[in-house]
Amino acid sequence: MGFDEVHKMDITGDGTEDTVGVRRNEDGSVEYHVDVDDDGTADLLAVDTDGDGVIDQVLIDQDGDGKYDTAAVDLNGDGTIDAVAEKE
């Protein structure tokens, strides 16, 4: 499964470019797969579920093991994260 676009940009604000793979899905949602440590595996997945340009869900791999362990969600669609859950 490839990406529709791949960009290099500093997502984390640390001065180093991160790789962002963009996937536009048939249902109108857009996924942003972000590799912040340049290991070829996404450390962050941001999803715009309705294609309106506002991120609705974010999954984060905090410890770099290739598995998402934190989820953040905009529950009411106002563009602000309302809930965060971390796997223990």
Side-chain angles (χ1 to χ4, degrees):
M1 240 163 117
F3 294 113
D4 298 311
E5 305 166 25
V6 176
H7 302 277
K8 289 290 223 177
M9 60 184 70
D10 184 6
I11 297 296
T12 60
D14 64 358
T16 303
E17 287 189 332
D18 307 305
T19 302
V20 181
V22 181
R23 181 172 295 127
R24 299 179 192 289
N25 299 309
E26 290 182 17
D27 65 0
S29 65
V30 182
E31 301 173 6
Y32 301 90
H33 299 256
V34 183
D35 180 3
V36 300
D37 57 8
D38 203 28
D39 67 353
T41 301
D43 304 289
L44 183 143
L45 171 61
V47 181
D48 174 4
T49 57
D50 53 10
D52 66 354
V54 178
I55 299 300
D56 300 296
Q57 304 169 13
V58 180
L59 298 175
I60 305 165
D61 176 6
Q62 298 279 5
D63 56 12
D65 67 353
K67 299 176 186 173
Y68 296 118
D69 36 44
T70 302
V73 181
D74 175 5
L75 295 171
N76 58 7
D78 67 354
T80 302
I81 296 296
D82 302 306
V84 176
E86 293 184 23
K87 182 179 173 184
E88 295 184 19

